[in-house]
PDB file of all heavy atoms in Angstrom:
ATOM      1  N   VAL A1503     -45.325 -47.445  -4.512  1.00  0.00           N
ATOM      2  CA  VAL A1503     -46.395 -48.462  -4.521  1.00  0.00           C
ATOM      3  C   VAL A1503     -47.627 -47.996  -5.147  1.00  0.00           C
ATOM      4  O   VAL A1503     -48.526 -48.794  -5.375  1.00  0.00           O
ATOM      5  CB  VAL A1503     -46.652 -48.803  -2.928  1.00  0.00           C
ATOM      6  CG1 VAL A1503     -45.487 -49.464  -2.399  1.00  0.00           C
ATOM      7  CG2 VAL A1503     -47.110 -47.612  -2.191  1.00  0.00           C
ATOM      8  N   SER A1507     -51.507 -48.026  -9.718  1.00  0.00           N
ATOM      9  CA  SER A1507     -52.789 -47.222  -9.801  1.00  0.00           C
ATOM     10  C   SER A1507     -52.747 -46.043 -10.691  1.00  0.00           C
ATOM     11  O   SER A1507     -53.784 -45.731 -11.360  1.00  0.00           O
ATOM     12  CB  SER A1507     -53.143 -46.888  -8.326  1.00  0.00           C
ATOM     13  OG  SER A1507     -53.278 -47.951  -7.499  1.00  0.00           O
ATOM     14  N   ALA A1537     -30.918 -22.818  -2.560  1.00  0.00           N
ATOM     15  CA  ALA A1537     -31.855 -22.455  -1.595  1.00  0.00           C
ATOM     16  C   ALA A1537     -31.268 -22.269  -0.280  1.00  0.00           C
ATOM     17  O   ALA A1537     -31.606 -21.448   0.518  1.00  0.00           O
ATOM     18  CB  ALA A1537     -32.975 -23.488  -1.587  1.00  0.00           C
ATOM     19  N   THR A1548     -38.621 -17.248   6.229  1.00  0.00           N
ATOM     20  CA  THR A1548     -39.298 -16.885   5.055  1.00  0.00           C
ATOM     21  C   THR A1548     -39.267 -17.912   3.925  1.00  0.00           C
ATOM     22  O   THR A1548     -40.289 -18.249   3.310  1.00  0.00           O
ATOM     23  CB  THR A1548     -38.915 -15.422   4.562  1.00  0.00           C
ATOM     24  OG1 THR A1548     -39.084 -14.544   5.578  1.00  0.00           O
ATOM     25  CG2 THR A1548     -39.715 -15.036   3.307  1.00  0.00           C
ATOM     26  N   SER A1560     -48.513 -27.713  -4.735  1.00  0.00           N
ATOM     27  CA  SER A1560     -48.219 -28.690  -5.830  1.00  0.00           C
ATOM     28  C   SER A1560     -48.678 -30.083  -5.454  1.00  0.00           C
ATOM     29  O   SER A1560     -48.970 -30.907  -6.346  1.00  0.00           O
ATOM     30  CB  SER A1560     -46.606 -28.679  -6.038  1.00  0.00           C
ATOM     31  OG  SER A1560     -45.926 -28.922  -4.827  1.00  0.00           O
ATOM     32  N   GLY A1581     -40.875 -31.127  -6.215  1.00  0.00           N
ATOM     33  CA  GLY A1581     -39.441 -31.370  -5.933  1.00  0.00           C
ATOM     34  C   GLY A1581     -38.580 -30.064  -5.649  1.00  0.00           C
ATOM     35  O   GLY A1581     -37.787 -29.978  -4.732  1.00  0.00           O
ATOM     36  N   GLN A1597     -28.501 -22.676  13.689  1.00  0.00           N
ATOM     37  CA  GLN A1597     -28.781 -21.461  14.215  1.00  0.00           C
ATOM     38  C   GLN A1597     -29.342 -21.484  15.680  1.00  0.00           C
ATOM     39  O   GLN A1597     -28.970 -20.757  16.501  1.00  0.00           O
ATOM     40  CB  GLN A1597     -29.756 -20.676  13.445  1.00  0.00           C
ATOM     41  CG  GLN A1597     -30.250 -19.294  13.913  1.00  0.00           C
ATOM     42  CD  GLN A1597     -31.189 -18.662  13.026  1.00  0.00           C
ATOM     43  OE1 GLN A1597     -31.293 -19.023  11.828  1.00  0.00           O
ATOM     44  NE2 GLN A1597     -32.024 -17.768  13.509  1.00  0.00           N
ATOM     45  N   ARG A1601     -23.768 -27.298  20.598  1.00  0.00           N
ATOM     46  CA  ARG A1601     -23.020 -28.427  21.093  1.00  0.00           C
ATOM     47  C   ARG A1601     -23.942 -29.667  21.236  1.00  0.00           C
ATOM     48  O   ARG A1601     -24.485 -30.212  20.316  1.00  0.00           O
ATOM     49  CB  ARG A1601     -22.469 -27.998  22.371  1.00  0.00           C
ATOM     50  CG  ARG A1601     -21.317 -26.957  22.169  1.00  0.00           C
ATOM     51  CD  ARG A1601     -20.767 -26.436  23.456  1.00  0.00           C
ATOM     52  NE  ARG A1601     -19.870 -25.365  23.226  1.00  0.00           N
ATOM     53  CZ  ARG A1601     -19.330 -24.579  24.142  1.00  0.00           C
ATOM     54  NH1 ARG A1601     -19.656 -24.747  25.441  1.00  0.00           N
ATOM     55  NH2 ARG A1601     -18.441 -23.648  23.846  1.00  0.00           N
ATOM     56  N   ARG A1640     -54.403 -40.704  -5.521  1.00  0.00           N
ATOM     57  CA  ARG A1640     -54.570 -39.282  -5.329  1.00  0.00           C
ATOM     58  C   ARG A1640     -54.308 -38.888  -3.852  1.00  0.00           C
ATOM     59  O   ARG A1640     -53.753 -37.839  -3.572  1.00  0.00           O
ATOM     60  CB  ARG A1640     -55.998 -38.935  -5.758  1.00  0.00           C
ATOM     61  CG  ARG A1640     -56.298 -39.078  -7.276  1.00  0.00           C
ATOM     62  CD  ARG A1640     -57.622 -38.513  -7.616  1.00  0.00           C
ATOM     63  NE  ARG A1640     -57.821 -38.856  -9.095  1.00  0.00           N
ATOM     64  CZ  ARG A1640     -57.408 -37.951 -10.085  1.00  0.00           C
ATOM     65  NH1 ARG A1640     -56.663 -36.981  -9.820  1.00  0.00           N
ATOM     66  NH2 ARG A1640     -57.640 -38.334 -11.377  1.00  0.00           N
ATOM     67  N   LEU A1691     -27.239 -36.486 -12.832  1.00  0.00           N
ATOM     68  CA  LEU A1691     -28.384 -37.258 -12.371  1.00  0.00           C
ATOM     69  C   LEU A1691     -29.238 -37.938 -13.586  1.00  0.00           C
ATOM     70  O   LEU A1691     -29.678 -39.005 -13.494  1.00  0.00           O
ATOM     71  CB  LEU A1691     -29.340 -36.401 -11.614  1.00  0.00           C
ATOM     72  CG  LEU A1691     -28.972 -35.948 -10.142  1.00  0.00           C
ATOM     73  CD1 LEU A1691     -29.963 -34.879  -9.599  1.00  0.00           C
ATOM     74  CD2 LEU A1691     -28.932 -37.209  -9.268  1.00  0.00           C
ATOM     75  N   VAL A1715     -18.105 -29.547 -16.524  1.00  0.00           N
ATOM     76  CA  VAL A1715     -18.820 -28.323 -16.080  1.00  0.00           C
ATOM     77  C   VAL A1715     -18.721 -28.126 -14.500  1.00  0.00           C
ATOM     78  O   VAL A1715     -18.460 -27.002 -14.228  1.00  0.00           O
ATOM     79  CB  VAL A1715     -20.380 -28.594 -16.360  1.00  0.00           C
ATOM     80  CG1 VAL A1715     -21.163 -27.354 -15.745  1.00  0.00           C
ATOM     81  CG2 VAL A1715     -20.614 -28.675 -17.878  1.00  0.00           C
ATOM     82  N   SER A1741     -13.672 -33.050   8.760  1.00  0.00           N
ATOM     83  CA  SER A1741     -14.960 -33.502   9.187  1.00  0.00           C
ATOM     84  C   SER A1741     -16.042 -33.372   8.153  1.00  0.00           C
ATOM     85  O   SER A1741     -16.848 -34.150   7.882  1.00  0.00           O
ATOM     86  CB  SER A1741     -15.396 -32.775  10.461  1.00  0.00           C
ATOM     87  OG  SER A1741     -15.401 -31.345  10.216  1.00  0.00           O
ATOM     88  N   GLY A1770     -42.015 -60.138  -7.764  1.00  0.00           N
ATOM     89  CA  GLY A1770     -41.477 -61.608  -7.649  1.00  0.00           C
ATOM     90  C   GLY A1770     -42.324 -62.515  -6.860  1.00  0.00           C
ATOM     91  O   GLY A1770     -42.632 -63.680  -7.242  1.00  0.00           O
ATOM     92  N   ARG A1798     -27.750 -38.415  20.777  1.00  0.00           N
ATOM     93  CA  ARG A1798     -27.192 -38.251  22.127  1.00  0.00           C
ATOM     94  C   ARG A1798     -25.768 -38.630  22.230  1.00  0.00           C
ATOM     95  O   ARG A1798     -24.966 -38.113  23.012  1.00  0.00           O
ATOM     96  CB  ARG A1798     -28.086 -38.900  23.064  1.00  0.00           C
ATOM     97  CG  ARG A1798     -29.594 -38.372  23.110  1.00  0.00           C
ATOM     98  CD  ARG A1798     -30.442 -39.191  24.027  1.00  0.00           C
ATOM     99  NE  ARG A1798     -31.749 -38.648  24.079  1.00  0.00           N
ATOM    100  CZ  ARG A1798     -32.187 -37.677  24.842  1.00  0.00           C
ATOM    101  NH1 ARG A1798     -31.396 -37.140  25.752  1.00  0.00           N
ATOM    102  NH2 ARG A1798     -33.432 -37.303  24.840  1.00  0.00           N
ATOM    103  N   VAL A1829     -35.107 -69.158   3.861  1.00  0.00           N
ATOM    104  CA  VAL A1829     -36.561 -69.203   3.855  1.00  0.00           C
ATOM    105  C   VAL A1829     -36.937 -68.542   2.512  1.00  0.00           C
ATOM    106  O   VAL A1829     -37.412 -67.435   2.365  1.00  0.00           O
ATOM    107  CB  VAL A1829     -37.145 -68.297   5.003  1.00  0.00           C
ATOM    108  CG1 VAL A1829     -38.630 -68.458   5.051  1.00  0.00           C
ATOM    109  CG2 VAL A1829     -36.551 -68.704   6.305  1.00  0.00           C
ATOM    110  N   PRO A1841     -33.342 -59.256  10.639  1.00  0.00           N
ATOM    111  CA  PRO A1841     -32.130 -58.646  10.051  1.00  0.00           C
ATOM    112  C   PRO A1841     -32.356 -57.229   9.597  1.00  0.00           C
ATOM    113  O   PRO A1841     -31.526 -56.374   9.723  1.00  0.00           O
ATOM    114  CB  PRO A1841     -31.956 -59.565   8.744  1.00  0.00           C
ATOM    115  CG  PRO A1841     -32.560 -60.905   9.208  1.00  0.00           C
ATOM    116  CD  PRO A1841     -33.725 -60.509   9.970  1.00  0.00           C
ATOM    117  N   VAL A1844     -32.134 -54.967  12.478  1.00  0.00           N
ATOM    118  CA  VAL A1844     -30.772 -54.704  12.836  1.00  0.00           C
ATOM    119  C   VAL A1844     -30.066 -53.565  11.925  1.00  0.00           C
ATOM    120  O   VAL A1844     -29.305 -52.733  12.304  1.00  0.00           O
ATOM    121  CB  VAL A1844     -29.872 -55.975  12.889  1.00  0.00           C
ATOM    122  CG1 VAL A1844     -28.332 -55.763  12.999  1.00  0.00           C
ATOM    123  CG2 VAL A1844     -30.472 -56.937  13.916  1.00  0.00           C
ATOM    124  N   ILE A1886     -27.496 -42.673  -7.913  1.00  0.00           N
ATOM    125  CA  ILE A1886     -26.459 -43.686  -8.382  1.00  0.00           C
ATOM    126  C   ILE A1886     -26.771 -45.128  -7.739  1.00  0.00           C
ATOM    127  O   ILE A1886     -26.671 -46.153  -8.462  1.00  0.00           O
ATOM    128  CB  ILE A1886     -25.113 -43.166  -7.968  1.00  0.00           C
ATOM    129  CG1 ILE A1886     -24.709 -41.898  -8.807  1.00  0.00           C
ATOM    130  CG2 ILE A1886     -24.026 -44.220  -8.211  1.00  0.00           C
ATOM    131  CD1 ILE A1886     -23.499 -41.212  -8.235  1.00  0.00           C
ATOM    132  N   GLY A1910     -28.266 -57.637  -6.137  1.00  0.00           N
ATOM    133  CA  GLY A1910     -28.478 -56.193  -5.863  1.00  0.00           C
ATOM    134  C   GLY A1910     -27.994 -55.740  -4.473  1.00  0.00           C
ATOM    135  O   GLY A1910     -27.462 -54.668  -4.230  1.00  0.00           O
TER     136      GLY A1910
END
Side-chain angles (χ1 to χ4, degrees):
V1503 295
S1507 300
T1548 301
S1560 56
Q1597 176 183 337
R1601 297 177 183 170
R1640 295 187 182 275
L1691 286 173
V1715 173
S1741 60
R1798 294 176 181 271
V1829 187
V1844 173
I1886 293 168

